[in-house]
Amino acid sequence: MTQNPFEGMGGEGGFDMGALLQQAQAMQEQLMETQKRLAEAVVTGSVAGGAVNVTVSGTGDLVGVDLKEGVLEGTDADSLSELGDLVVAAYRDAKAQADRNAQDALGPLAGGMPGMPGADGLPGGRTPGSGGFGF
């Protein structure tokens, strides 16, 4: 029983491990470069006609909050709570944009090697209905 199970797949002995490793290294370098570009990017979310703007990094980290004059009507608890709600809504807007950008940029790279099933048995290792990257 000396038959090679990889016979017919190319390379010496039927399997070219060097080419496979080169491909994996190139994919890793491309993934790292894309992640670096995403981390350096900034996205702004806005609510209330631009009265509240929140800036996040491409990975979803909060980096700034900008409030236009007149957003806060008073200093009572209800006004402050409303301001908090506006900031949260603006953050969610910016985070959703950052997640979409990450999915667009990383989607082809995060799926693994073409034709190789993921841990769940689906091509690219994604589960049905899986969304953003959780950054």
Side-chain angles (χ1 to χ4, degrees):
M1 286 238 165
T2 59
Q3 187 175 6
N4 184 347
F6 299 110
E7 195 170 338
M9 294 182 85
E12 188 177 323
F15 189 73
D16 190 350
M17 184 60 108
L20 182 63
L21 290 174
Q22 269 185 322
Q23 183 181 9
Q25 183 178 8
M27 287 176 66
Q28 182 180 15
E29 289 171 4
Q30 188 177 6
L31 178 62
M32 289 172 59
E33 178 61 34
T34 301
Q35 288 174 328
K36 180 182 173 190
R37 280 195 327 263
L38 282 171
E40 293 170 351
V42 291
V43 179
T44 301
S46 182
V47 296
V52 176
N53 296 299
V54 171
T55 305
V56 299
S57 70
T59 56
D61 294 327
L62 181 64
V63 295
V65 176
D66 180 46
L67 306 173
K68 300 295 182 205
E69 192 173 324
V71 173
L72 190 58
E73 294 291 324
T75 57
D76 59 279
D78 287 339
S79 294
L80 294 174
S81 178
E82 184 179 324
L83 176 61
D85 291 345
L86 290 171
V87 171
V88 168
Y91 173 78
R92 287 181 178 160
D93 180 45
K95 180 76 167 79
Q97 291 178 52
D99 285 347
R100 276 192 303 274
N101 291 347
Q103 189 168 14
D104 290 346
L106 295 173
L109 300 172
M113 292 180 26
M116 300 289 287
D120 56 6
L122 295 174
R126 288 183 225 119
T127 57
S130 62
F133 289 91
F135 298 158

